[in-house]
Amino acid sequence: AGHYFIRDENEKALQASHVLPRYPYEVPVVLQDRQLDSLGNLLYPASDPANPFLPRPTHLPEFFGDIILANGITWPRMNVEQRKYRFRLLNGSDSRFYALRVQREQSVSGSPSRPRGQPLKILVIGNELGLLNSPVESYWFSPPDPTVVPTAAPNTPGGGISQADTLLIAPGERFDVIVDFTDVPVGSRLLMWNFAASPYNGQVADNVDYTDPTAGLSDRVIAFDVI
């Protein structure tokens, strides 16, 4: 899976005048979730124990891997300078939504690290149809579902999600975004975290039918080291 970029004269002019970052500060990122077997081979479930009479192999309605890949690499690390970067995001997963936020990492003794501090703004400058007329700050919002009583503490009363600086991206969806590391101190490590439940239904996870990302696995995508 990969990108195929088509540029017009307007985009080329914006890059030439340094309004938009260009290589090496324009970075394509394909997000995918995968499973591996004990030997490290890709594993894709192709049978349904609940339906033993289905053909083998068969297809299943959904697939959620516990390993997150960015450009085919498990949880990669990227050195970034104190400047703006343009990320061309593509969700190449089968069923997984991602709610992405760029935030510092805090170590926790005996447990996976967790996010801390103020997230960096994610400025959306384009989508599948090309560049927007002007940048838009990302904001993850879904209204409360009055038929759902969440078992986990909701972000907002009634179970809806309301979170600034977070980008929700669905399977097959694409976003063109700017992330600015200018004010991040050298030596800092930030992660691109994932907060979306799976399966994703637009509500806060009840951790029964809709589960939060697994800490240390599906809750993180990329590490950024500021140099």
Side-chain angles (χ1 to χ4, degrees):
H3 291 79
Y4 187 93
F5 295 138
I6 301 174
R7 305 186 192 274
D8 62 9
E9 296 307 314
N10 177 53
E11 181 178 359
K12 293 176 183 177
L14 290 169
Q15 289 186 314
S17 59
H18 306 291
V19 175
L20 289 181
R22 57 181 172 182
Y23 181 84
Y25 306 108
E26 179 190 24
V27 183
V29 179
V30 181
L31 305 175
Q32 296 169 302
D33 57 342
R34 292 290 183 262
Q35 278 184 291
L36 302 178
D37 64 16
S38 59
L39 299 178
N41 298 309
L42 280 173
L43 177 66
Y44 187 86
S47 62
D48 185 355
N51 296 281
F53 300 107
L54 290 176
R56 292 176 178 264
T58 188
H59 71 277
L60 302 179
E62 293 176 312
F63 169 77
F64 296 98
D66 54 4
I67 291 172
I68 307 300
L69 306 182
N71 296 347
I73 303 171
T74 55
W75 301 296
R77 182 185 64 84
M78 177 181 173
N79 288 335
V80 295
E81 301 172 26
Q82 291 177 303
R83 56 158 296 141
K84 293 177 182 177
Y85 280 77
R86 181 183 183 185
F87 293 102
R88 312 294 295 267
L89 299 172
L90 162 66
N91 183 353
S93 299
D94 178 276
S95 306
R96 184 180 294 279
F97 282 64
Y98 297 89
L100 302 174
R101 191 185 310 160
V102 180
Q103 204 167 357
R104 294 195 190 189
E105 179 185 38
Q106 177 176 329
S107 298
V108 180
S109 179
S111 301
S113 61
R114 61 189 180 195
R116 68 175 177 90
Q118 184 70 22
L120 299 186
K121 290 188 182 301
I122 299 176
L123 291 179
V124 179
I125 63 170
N127 56 19
E128 293 91 342
L129 299 177
L131 294 174
L132 305 179
N133 289 329
S134 59
V136 178
E137 290 187 15
S138 62
Y139 197 95
W140 179 25
F141 173 78
S142 60
D145 184 345
T147 66
V148 174
V149 179
T151 58
N155 298 66
T156 58
I161 298 167
S162 180
Q163 180 63 58
D165 306 320
T166 306
L167 181 71
L168 183 69
I169 181 169
E173 195 169 17
R174 285 154 282 168
F175 278 107
D176 192 350
V177 305
I178 300 290
V179 178
D180 191 354
F181 298 92
T182 299
D183 296 326
V184 182
V186 170
S188 301
R189 168 166 284 192
L190 303 93
L191 267 62
M192 181 180 284
W193 303 89
N194 170 41
F195 294 89
S198 59
Y200 181 75
N201 72 337
Q203 302 301 317
V204 175
D206 61 9
N207 289 318
V208 178
D209 299 310
Y210 308 97
T211 59
D212 282 317
T214 303
L217 294 174
S218 55
D219 69 334
R220 60 202 63 209
V221 178
I222 303 172
F224 299 108
D225 287 336
V226 183
I227 62 169

